[in-house]
Amino acid sequence: MLKDIFFKLNKKASDEKTDKAEKQETIMTKCPNCKKILYSKDLHKRLNVCSNCDHHLPIISTERMDALLDIDSGKELFTNITSVNPLNFPNYEEKLASDKEKTGLEEALIVSHGKIMGSEAVVAIMDPRFRMGSMGSALGEKLARTFQYATEHRLPVIVFTASGGARMQEGILSLMQMAKVSVAIERHNKAGLLYIAYMTNPTTGGVSASFASVGDINLAEKGALIGFAGRRVIEETIKEKLPDDFQTAEFLLKHGQLDDVVNRVNMKRYLGTILKMHEEVV
């Protein structure tokens, strides 16, 4: 009897300690780069950019969309497109269901038609929490329809990429999305419309080799990892040691593969300015 009471008291104390620790963790956040302890509320206001060192912590797609679009201007598109298991890959459905529950998303991409500082645009944002932002048939279909919709409505497109590359569970069907989306981009381009590719951390594999790199303006977020193959694979292939900043946004900018590297805090103002300038030209 006394033993049971003692156990219950210990369990209650342990639960209270855990709840307190979780509460403290949500109140404060440690920057993984400079190790400074930050108020989570202040960090959120800065779109998860450290106020001490400007390190860009992860931000989910819905929060980025809300921060980017003018209030009450966004209309989400293509919400009914979701992945299936065309190759009967083992446990793929279970993993998709788990990611849907965890993220509240139907796929690793959300698309909205809205306004940025008063200028209309179609914005597509990838989310690495869902199958590491991998490029499957559903994601490719949503992107192709994004450019088709923008072409029909004569609107610019902004795509925020964040991906581990092709989705292995869909095999060749995943790789086909590179060509499909690229064709839709070219039709949009021939219509004289603007495409801004905005690479975030990480943008790798087939995504970096296709629609992430063919914008009229190619931007990247500060410190983003961008590249096709991994550092180790490249070093083993060329038998040379690569620079420490290899495959970072700053490295690509220095070597002419980007037009600019943008701090997330300035994201809306930066893109709004480009869209306004483009409106005045056309």
Side-chain angles (χ1 to χ4, degrees), residues 104-120:
L105 304 175
E106 288 298 312
E107 187 47 63
L109 180 81
I110 60 172
V111 183
S112 286
H113 174 186
K115 293 182 179 180
I116 302 172
M117 294 176 59
S119 297
E120 279 193 87

Side-chain angles (χ1 to χ4, degrees), residues 3-16:
K3 184 178 179 181
D4 290 341
I5 293 172
F6 181 72
F7 174 77
K8 288 178 181 177
L9 288 172
N10 272 350
K11 187 176 186 305
K12 183 179 179 182
S14 176
D15 290 344
E16 288 176 351

Side-chain angles (χ1 to χ4, degrees), residues 68-84:
L68 183 63
L69 297 183
D70 296 346
I71 296 174
D72 296 329
S73 75
K75 173 190 173 186
E76 191 170 358
L77 305 173
F78 318 124
T79 56
N80 61 337
I81 299 175
T82 187
S83 293
V84 293

